[in-house]
Each structure stands twice: as C-alpha cells, then as structure tokens.
Amino acid sequence: MSLKNRMMLALGCSVLLGGAACTQDFEQADFVHDEGQPWCDELEAGSGSTDCALLLGEDHLIFFEYAPSARGTRLMVKLNTLEGQEVQSFGPIAIEDSVASPALRDINSDDREELFIPLMTGNVNTLWSLWQQDDEGLFHRAGEVSGFDVDGFELRNGLMITHSRGDAATSYETASRLTADGLGTVYEMLIDHAGRDCRLLDQSGMAAMRLNAAAVVAACEARDWE
C-alpha cells in the first residue's frame, strides 16, 4: 500500500466519509482521496492542467484547481490538513499550455519539499515556477527554472542541475542554488553536441560557490558524446 493510501486509511472512515460505512478499497490503483481529484504524480504524461492533488509530508494535501481564462488557464492552489482545514491558498497563476503536472521534490536537502508548478511546455522544455516552504510550512515563490521534468533534475554538491534543449544539436545546462532569498543561477552552459564542446554563457555565481570555470567546462567536455 502506498504512503498516500496509508495516510488516507489512517484518518479513518469517519473523516473521509462523514461517518458512513467504509467500503473503499485502498489497494485499488484508482483510489482517490475524499475531494475526488486524482493524484498529480499518478497522472499519465500529457495530462497537464488537470485538477489533481499531492500529499505533502504525512499530514497535508495540496489541491490544484484549473479553470479556463482568456489567455489560457488559471490555477488556484490550496494547502490543507488531512482533516480538511485550509492552511494556505494562492493564485491565480497563469498557465499557458503545459502538458506536465505539479510535482514535489526537496532540491536543497533541507528536508522540506519544494513545489514545482509547470507554467508552459514548448516542443521539449517545460518552464516551472518554483515555490519553497518557510519555517511554518507555508509556500513562497522562489523563482523559475526550465527543464525536461522534475524527477530528472540532478542534485550535485548543493546545486540543482537542469538541462533544456536548444535545437537538434545544442542543449543547455543550468546550475542553480536555492537559499532563503530564492533561486539563484550559479552558471549556465551551452553544450554543442555537434562540435563536442561546452561554453559558459553565465558564470556569475561560480565564485561564491568556489567553482573553477575551466574545471566545469572540462568535465562537461569529458562526457560520453555518443
């Protein structure tokens, strides 16, 4: 049984079903929580802008509710306790045609998950709005990052490494660092797969992280280009 389903079961049927007899089969793949929305991380690829929910830790749920707007879609986000008490709500957030779904991941190793909300998906890349939790567990917008998918973001020496496509022969590697002040770029590098070389476009945050530019480029060019 998944953690999400175990947490729902732990609430007891009196909470989930208003005291009615419990007939839910929590082992079923299509089990949904009491508000009836599917889990965001169980939606099929390409199901962006679909109302869904995420389990945050062991005692909160985040609900994502989309509605059409004149310029695409608007998103409202609600953070609730498992008992249904609203803790925080924010939005509307403008969504332009994203095929991805919201995701949670701790990307700065502080034992608190960050929230990634997809804003727009191009031919390959998705633009994500990043929200981080404060000491009280409330979310605050930290910045934006472009990359393929949240699960594929690499964590390297305290940095979040994302990759995005340029064209058929080029891609970009961006290293970012999340602090209490928000998301900051450490470096951005252009990777030319045809020429098999790498070039730093932005290295403004490398000195603060004591990174050697030449070493970073050399490591990039030492990759397996096949």
Side-chain angles (χ1 to χ4, degrees):
M1 183 183 295
S2 70
L3 172 61
K4 289 178 289 191
N5 289 353
R6 290 201 304 271
M7 293 306 301
M8 295 298 97
L9 181 58
L11 283 175
C13 297
S14 60
V15 174
L16 286 174
L17 303 178
C22 184
T23 58
Q24 292 276 11
D25 182 353
F26 292 87
E27 294 287 1
Q28 291 179 0
D30 60 352
F31 168 74
V32 294
H33 47 76
D34 56 323
E35 294 217 5
Q37 296 172 358
W39 298 112
C40 303
D41 51 3
E42 294 180 3
L43 289 171
E44 294 183 1
S47 300
S49 299
T50 298
D51 290 358
C52 59
L54 288 170
L55 179 65
L56 176 66
E58 298 183 349
D59 50 11
H60 287 82
L61 286 166
I62 310 176
F63 294 99
F64 303 88
E65 299 175 349
Y66 295 86
S69 70
R71 296 185 177 180
T73 306
R74 60 180 179 84
L75 168 66
M76 295 298 299
V77 182
K78 292 192 304 180
L79 173 64
N80 287 5
T81 65
L82 291 184
E83 293 78 12
Q85 179 182 358
E86 185 175 298
V87 176
Q88 181 186 15
S89 64
F90 52 90
I93 299 171
I95 310 295
E96 290 186 32
D97 192 20
S98 173
V99 301
S101 299
L104 289 166
R105 186 176 176 188
D106 179 7
I107 54 93
N108 60 352
S109 302
D110 64 352
D111 296 323
R112 288 183 292 203
E113 291 181 298
E114 280 69 52
L115 172 61
F116 291 82
I117 297 175
L119 301 178
M120 178 181 64
T121 301
N123 291 334
V124 177
N125 308 314
T126 294
L127 178 65
W128 303 84
S129 177
L130 172 61
W131 297 68
Q132 64 176 328
Q133 298 182 65
D134 61 20
D135 292 339
E136 297 179 353
L138 301 180
F139 283 97
H140 302 274
R141 188 177 179 279
E144 294 181 353
V145 61
S146 178
F148 302 140
D149 67 89
V150 174
D151 287 340
F153 294 170
E154 180 185 352
L155 304 185
R156 186 194 306 164
N157 299 323
L159 302 179
M160 177 178 65
I161 310 296
T162 60
H163 294 89
S164 57
R165 180 70 58 82
D167 54 33
T170 62
S171 64
Y172 297 87
E173 177 178 297
T174 303
S176 306
R177 182 170 179 243
L178 181 63
T179 67
D181 295 326
L183 188 69
T185 298
V186 176
Y187 69 78
E188 182 180 29
M189 185 157 49
L190 173 66
I191 303 173
D192 183 348
H193 297 268
R196 298 192 173 191
D197 61 43
C198 305
R199 176 164 54 93
L200 285 167
L201 304 178
D202 180 352
Q203 51 185 302
S204 56
M206 295 185 76
M209 295 298 298
R210 298 184 178 180
L211 292 176
N212 180 278
V216 170
V217 170
C220 175
E221 293 182 340
R223 70 179 57 219
D224 182 357
W225 292 97
E226 298 298 332

